[in-house]
Amino acid sequence: MTCPADGRAFFLLDLMALFHLVDFQTPYEYLGHQHPQKALHMCGIIGYIGQKNCVPIILEGLRRLEYRGYDSAGIALVSKDSLSVEKKAGKVSELAKHLGNGSSTLSGSLGMGHTRWATHGAPNDVNAHPDWDAQKKIAIIHNGIIENYLSIKTKLLREGHVFHTDTDTEVLAHLIQSMYERGNDLSTAVRLALSEVDGTYGLVVMSVHEPDKFIVARKGSPLLIGVGDGENYVASDASAIVSHTRHVVYLEDGEVAVVTKDNIETTTIDALKVHKTVEEVTLELSQIERGGYDHFMLKEINEQPETIRNAMRGRLLVDEGNVKLGGLQNMMGRLLSARRIVITACGTSWHAGLVGEYMLEQIAKIPTEVEYASEFRYRNPLMNIDDVVLLISQSGETADTLAALREAKGKGSTVLGIVNVVGSTIARESDGGVYIHAGPEIGVASTKAFTSQLTVLALITLMLARARGMSQEDGIVLAKEIASLPDKVQHILKNTDQIKAIAEKYKNAKNFLYLGRGANFPVALEGALKLKEISYIHAEGYPAAEMKHGPIALIDENMPVVVIVPRDGIYDKVISNIQEVKARKGRIIAIANEDDTEIANMAEHVIRIPRTYGFFGPILNIIPLQLLSYYMAVARGTNVDQPRNLAKSVTVE
Ligand code: G6P
């Protein structure tokens, strides 16, 4: 296997991420990867072909993929000319239990496993993947959505096919079977079937007809092949296989590969040969393990001093009062002539964008707007070629954010990304951007990615402010303040006992209100989101002054109200809002500065935070709110890292 620009670019990206030399790779190498975005699953894929018994390898891989969010899991093996499939609704542990927890008689050296997040058909045992064809000779696992599955199904029903699930994936299995029965070999049957499909897929097919291979294909949903010695792996995500091999081949959209234990042959869907390079994954195993913490979320909260430092390492030039961001260097002209910056994102990343709006407008004096990506993509926004659109995404794969990117690009705007996952689709399709270098974020509720996104937004702001005339003296003051943030976060993280006690006290509350003003209004939104996500307590974030237009009706002695009240220019205004809550007997939990001597008279609990420059305050103020939601969830016994109904990477519309 030799080859193309794609491969080299990936490798470079990883190296660059490792050494923090530059940010996004020049985008133009990636233009060939563009494809219309459709909705995708967020499911996980793992497969093994070689000499070993694949069952433990697949179960381990499925466990490593759990962080993606899923509602059922399954495994299929080809051995002794028969196909065995076992699948269960619920967690991978249910599947492992069903298989006899290690005492399984199931064994074979060609097999694959899947974690499914339901789209077509309820999350139950039957609809879980793998699916199979009418003869149960061909098995398939599939991330993505076959959009024209109904018309294909109607045609196959007419030909006499009988379906046993509600999934779009089963239809594809039957379509492959029908192509195979016309005298094609397995890989041709898969390619022909895919040429009839409208939709997205990362998929793996295996069959008792040709029991020495996988056929894998990708369009719009990531897929890679792990290269071993006399064995090969397939996965939707390197974390599933990195304990076995670091050598991988990334499949690109429109590619199909035949994977045997000793060989990988890649073609396009039209059977044109494609040369691929084997690349090295830099992900460390310890990075995707819990490292002694009870939950990934707690580990990730505690990593923040380091991850914030990583976000600024090699970029923040304190003595010069300036910032150097390699991935934006070629974009400076466009950024400086931009009429406005439009930030678009989803979830926590959108909250980071709202804080970014304050930073960019107030410090760099650039008009900035923030919009949910899911709204931006469909409202046909009026865009200009001198607009810069900034996409923020931890995963770099969120379907709505990616669609917003393509919408903006289609309208001629410059698109830039602030992304965590190196080489992800948003990173690759952006005109430039900045990696946040937070490392893998496994807990579904985003924590360290948020503070790293804010740090990068602060860096971009300082860089633009200086380029637009801010003095070096002022630049140095801001740069020093940014540099001091990791130590301040470390200091806040020591305060867990107080926060644990507060969580214990309010763990049975039915509702929570979070209030903040200015740049801390998005912190209120993010604090409320964290609580909702993992403790399932209803929580609302509000701009403190807006409370009197509605939420004040909810306040009584049972309502905990978290107020972010740093000693800034609007301190007195927030204090007035606190008085309004207090007058209605609300229970005030204040996030306040260490030197605030007045607040203790008004609040039932005061969580102390070191001072910083106002617009950087959110990076500190969110930390106790992350801890509060974490300890509330632990006190309530919920599944902290994999909250119900949520997924880490929402690659579905
Ligand atoms: C999901 C996750 C959130 C995340 C959001 C946006 O809802 O559970 O934690 O903030 O997607 O994801 P992104 O990867 O684009 O930042």
Side-chain angles (χ1 to χ4, degrees):
M1 287 167 287
T2 51
C3 176
D6 312 344
R8 279 196 301 276
F10 257 116
F11 182 59
L12 274 175
L13 276 167
D14 274 354
L15 265 186
M16 290 186 294
L18 193 66
F19 296 113
H20 295 187
L21 289 177
V22 295
D23 304 297
F24 286 5
Q25 174 66 311
T26 318
Y28 303 104
E29 291 160 80
Y30 299 123
L31 289 180
H33 305 295
Q34 286 188 29
H35 52 85
Q37 172 61 22
K38 303 280 165 55
L40 318 175
H41 285 254
M42 50 208 84
C43 325
I45 282 176
I46 165 84
Y48 173 85
I49 181 164
Q51 325 276 353
K52 298 176 194 145
N53 176 16
C54 62
V55 176
I57 297 171
I58 291 169
L59 286 175
E60 183 206 331
L62 290 178
R63 280 189 200 102
R64 292 199 190 283
L65 290 168
E66 285 193 292
Y67 77 92
R68 292 170 71 97
Y70 69 103
D71 43 43
S72 56
I75 179 169
L77 264 75
V78 168
S79 63
K80 300 193 195 81
D81 295 337
S82 76
L83 177 68
S84 318
V85 183
E86 298 293 342
K87 38 197 204 169
K88 284 308 263 179
K91 297 292 173 200
V92 173
S93 54
E94 296 292 319
L95 177 69
K97 203 163 102 199
H98 174 70
L99 295 178
N101 276 335
S103 62
S104 167
T105 50
L106 200 64
S107 102
S109 51
L110 171 64
M112 61 193 190
H114 190 258
T115 48
R116 170 177 188 254
W117 190 83
T119 57
H120 295 71
N124 55 29
D125 292 358
V126 174
N127 288 330
H129 295 198
D131 272 322
W132 56 83
D133 68 315
Q135 319 290 342
K136 208 172 177 183
K137 300 279 187 201
I138 298 171
I140 181 170
I141 53 179
H142 166 222
N143 293 356
I145 291 178
I146 308 301
E147 295 188 342
N148 58 340
Y149 84 105
L150 263 182
S151 63
I152 299 173
K153 190 169 183 173
T154 312
K155 193 181 88 182
L156 291 169
L157 282 168
R158 260 191 247 118
E159 290 170 15
H161 286 255
V162 177
F163 295 90
H164 71 282
T165 77
D166 306 321
T167 65
D168 50 338
T169 303
E170 189 191 9
V171 174
L172 188 52
H174 284 241
L175 186 61
I176 295 169
Q177 175 202 349
S178 118
M179 298 299 179
Y180 187 82
E181 283 169 357
R182 289 180 207 173
N184 298 298
D185 63 15
L186 190 62
S187 66
T188 311
V190 171
R191 283 190 298 97
L192 290 174
L194 292 179
S195 65
E196 290 195 11
V197 155
D198 184 13
T200 53
Y201 47 80
L203 60 83
V204 186
V205 175
M206 60 181 199
S207 170
V208 294
H209 299 307
E210 297 180 25
D212 60 341
K213 63 182 63 115
F214 289 122
I215 315 297
V216 297
R218 171 188 165 146
K219 183 182 166 204
S221 193
L223 205 84
L224 54 91
I225 301 159
V227 183
D229 187 10
E231 58 183 19
N232 284 317
Y233 301 79
V234 292
S236 50
D237 177 329
S239 60
I241 57 166
V242 82
S243 60
H244 304 288
T245 178
R246 297 185 165 278
H247 299 112
V248 301
V249 171
Y250 291 97
L251 225 56
E252 292 299 323
D253 280 352
E255 290 178 354
V256 180
V258 179
V259 182
T260 64
K261 68 183 175 50
D262 305 305
N263 198 26
I264 301 163
E265 266 181 43
T266 311
T267 66
T268 63
I269 200 161
D270 304 319
L272 299 173
K273 212 166 163 44
V274 180
H275 297 288
K276 307 288 288 179
T277 36
V278 178
E279 295 161 43
E280 178 118 12
V281 175
T282 54
L283 197 67
E284 288 300 327
L285 198 56
S286 65
Q287 286 181 280
I288 53 171
E289 285 172 352
R290 281 209 306 268
Y293 287 96
D294 288 346
H295 298 96
F296 280 114
M297 183 179 176
L298 188 60
K299 171 175 179 263
E300 287 156 8
I301 290 172
N302 278 283
E303 279 172 359
Q304 289 176 109
E306 193 52 30
T307 50
I308 294 171
R309 219 170 260 129
N310 284 345
M312 59 178 87
R313 184 167 290 143
R315 297 164 165 177
L316 182 67
L317 313 172
V318 177
D319 295 343
E320 294 172 34
N322 213 334
V323 168
K324 198 173 161 208
L325 294 166
L328 294 184
Q329 236 156 27
N330 296 337
M331 294 292 138
M332 276 309 267
R334 289 197 223 178
L335 273 164
L336 293 174
S337 60
R339 273 197 335 165
R340 60 171 182 168
I341 294 177
V342 178
I343 300 177
T344 177
C346 303
T348 290
S349 299
W350 181 73
H351 294 155
L354 290 176
V355 178
E357 179 181 14
Y358 283 92
M359 293 182 187
L360 287 162
E361 288 209 337
Q362 303 304 315
I363 306 174
K365 312 287 180 211
I366 304 178
T368 305
E369 290 164 26
V370 188
E371 189 166 0
Y372 282 118
S374 53
E375 291 300 313
F376 181 91
R377 66 180 290 191
Y378 285 123
R379 77 173 172 87
N380 195 15
L382 291 179
M383 302 300 292
N384 284 298
I385 50 167
D386 51 4
D387 285 332
V388 169
V389 177
L390 187 56
L391 294 307
I392 307 179
S393 175
Q394 186 285 129
S395 62
E397 302 290 349
T398 301
D400 284 325
T401 312
L402 185 52
L405 179 155
R406 290 170 178 161
E407 174 74 16
K409 209 168 180 176
K411 288 179 182 286
S413 304
T414 300
V415 294
L416 304 176
I418 296 180
V419 172
N420 190 30
V421 177
V422 174
S424 57
T425 314
I426 291 174
R428 291 159 52 177
E429 292 194 13
S430 301
D431 295 317
V434 187
Y435 283 121
I436 63 172
H437 295 316
E441 191 179 63
I442 309 290
V444 166
S446 184
T447 51
K448 63 176 180 171
F450 180 68
T451 47
S452 294
Q453 288 164 343
L454 295 185
T455 306
V456 165
L457 283 162
L459 296 181
I460 295 174
T461 300
L462 176 55
M463 180 181 76
L464 293 177
R466 284 300 313 279
R468 289 167 66 90
M470 176 187 273
S471 70
Q472 183 176 28
E473 204 186 347
D474 287 348
I476 290 174
V477 172
L478 291 189
K480 277 191 177 155
E481 203 49 54
I482 296 173
S484 74
L485 292 169
D487 287 345
K488 291 179 180 170
V489 170
Q490 190 74 64
H491 179 73
I492 300 168
L493 287 169
K494 291 190 185 130
N495 186 20
T496 51
D497 286 348
Q498 183 198 9
I499 297 172
K500 241 189 241 180
I502 297 173
E504 196 53 44
K505 184 165 176 185
Y506 294 103
K507 69 180 179 199
N508 295 320
K510 297 270 178 288
N511 298 288
F512 256 76
L513 196 57
Y514 285 72
L515 303 177
R517 295 186 79 149
N520 286 306
F521 158 50
V523 177
L525 292 177
E526 175 61 9
L529 177 68
K530 288 289 86 87
L531 192 69
K532 270 184 278 212
E533 282 179 314
I534 59 167
S535 72
Y536 315 144
I537 295 174
H538 172 249
E540 279 194 67
Y542 248 80
E546 195 62 20
M547 177 189 65
K548 56 184 165 297
H549 299 290
I552 200 164
L554 301 171
I555 294 174
D556 61 15
E557 67 281 9
N558 297 317
M559 176 69 102
V561 182
V562 178
V563 190
I564 303 134
V565 54
R567 275 246 174 226
D568 57 15
I570 42 175
Y571 176 79
D572 290 340
K573 303 281 174 201
V574 184
I575 291 295
S576 305
N577 302 134
I578 288 179
Q579 296 295 5
E580 290 160 7
V581 174
K582 207 169 139 67
R584 286 153 189 90
K585 300 197 172 65
R587 319 286 295 272
I588 294 159
I589 303 163
I591 312 297
N593 287 136
E594 286 169 335
D595 56 351
D596 183 339
T597 49
E598 295 161 44
I599 191 74
N601 304 324
M602 287 169 267
E604 199 165 329
H605 307 275
V606 182
I607 301 173
R608 300 287 180 175
I609 301 291
R611 276 203 188 224
T612 185
Y613 178 60
F615 296 111
F616 304 153
I619 299 174
L620 304 184
N621 300 333
I622 192 59
I623 308 289
L625 305 189
Q626 294 170 343
L627 286 168
L628 182 63
S629 64
Y630 173 77
Y631 287 116
M632 292 281 285
V634 170
R636 289 163 68 88
T638 56
N639 186 340
V640 172
D641 284 332
Q642 291 157 39
R644 69 185 182 204
N645 305 341
L646 296 178
K648 183 68 193 159
S649 175
V650 180
T651 47
V652 66
E653 233 189 275

